[in-house]
Amino acid sequence: MRLRVAGEAAMEALGRALGRAARPGTVIFLHGDLGAGKTTLSRGFLRGRGHPGAVKSPTYTLVEPYALPAGPCYHFDLYRLGDPEELELIGARDYFAPDALCLVEWPERGGDRLPPPDVEVRIGHGDGWREVDLLGHTPRGRALIGRLPEIDHVQRPG
């Protein structure tokens, strides 16, 4: 599904909708250049899951855990990952549990140390918009995308 997202508030609203629609065990990969909106979308996702506080990018820690009422959520930012083997050293495999939700920014840096995603979110720059592609790779991922409501300032072209 391709979306056109107008502004930071709309990107956060899209993330919130994804967070509300996600089920435990879902793995979401976030792709996009620096500044594309991956962390903004993640902030909305976590707020949609009930996190009331600040959301920071875990660029230096690689993963930020969130203990939420509906279950754990782990936000990875692999931008500074030097080698995929580092994921083994931090015990990343244990984070991808059946009761957890995992958001992974810069997943390409994790190589084969990451499980396959249920959903990939690809964020690109448009003319005053962000072009967002949501790709469901599993039945769980396709169902998540199918549960998304209409969102203000997010258009579904075509």
Side-chain angles (χ1 to χ4, degrees), residues 36-150:
K38 297 179 299 296
T39 300
T40 300
L41 186 122
S42 296
R43 180 175 48 247
F45 185 95
L46 290 160
R47 289 185 177 155
R49 300 297 297 171
H51 178 67
V55 174
K56 60 182 179 176
S57 180
T59 302
Y60 293 99
T61 59
L62 298 182
V63 63
E64 188 69 35
Y66 294 88
L68 302 174
C73 188
Y74 301 101
H75 178 199
F76 292 83
D77 184 333
L78 305 183
Y79 182 73
R80 297 200 185 279
L81 189 72
D83 185 299
E85 185 65 30
E86 291 176 45
L87 290 171
E88 294 295 322
L89 298 174
I90 66 167
R93 211 176 288 219
D94 296 336
Y95 293 109
F96 294 92
D99 67 332
L101 291 165
C102 293
L103 299 170
V104 184
E105 296 185 39
W106 302 97
E108 57 277 6
R109 299 192 181 204
D112 63 357
R113 303 294 182 181
L114 296 172
D118 295 295
V119 174
E120 281 188 278
V121 179
R122 297 187 176 276
I123 305 171
H125 298 279
D127 238 2
W129 296 80
R130 296 283 195 258
E131 299 287 341
V132 178
D133 289 314
L134 301 175
L135 308 165
H137 293 294
T138 65
R140 177 190 321 239
R142 289 186 288 277
L144 186 161
I145 293 168
R147 286 190 294 272
L148 290 177
E150 294 294 322

